[in-house]
Amino acid sequence: HMVDGEMTLQCLEGEIVCDAGEKNTVLQPGEMLYLLGGVPHSVRANVDSVALLTILLKNGSAESKVFNP
């Protein structure tokens, strides 16, 4: 899938793989990945993992409407 906003994915525990384009990036604890908005990607855990995903949504984007009261 993809989202309009820029995103960061940080591995806190375990091992996470992010597939974006034709590149697979393995994240270990403490490592972070940045993706531009609109980049198709998938995320999976190779082992039990904890991650922090942050998406920057700009006013007016389709996803930002979900968070408006």
Side-chain angles (χ1 to χ4, degrees):
H1 71 264
M2 66 180 155
V3 295
D4 289 338
E6 301 164 61
M7 64 170 263
T8 60
L9 176 65
Q10 182 177 9
C11 179
L12 302 176
E13 294 179 17
E15 183 178 275
I16 298 169
V17 180
C18 181
D19 303 312
E22 296 183 22
K23 185 174 182 182
N24 302 330
T25 303
V26 178
L27 298 175
Q28 302 290 332
E31 296 181 327
M32 180 184 285
L33 173 77
Y34 168 83
L35 288 177
L36 291 171
V39 174
H41 63 276
S42 63
V43 177
R44 68 181 183 279
N46 284 338
V47 298
D48 287 345
S49 301
V50 177
L52 174 63
L53 174 67
T54 305
I55 303 172
L56 175 62
L57 299 175
K58 298 184 176 160
N59 285 338
S61 69
E63 289 93 352
S64 70
K65 293 180 183 6
V66 173
F67 300 104
N68 286 338

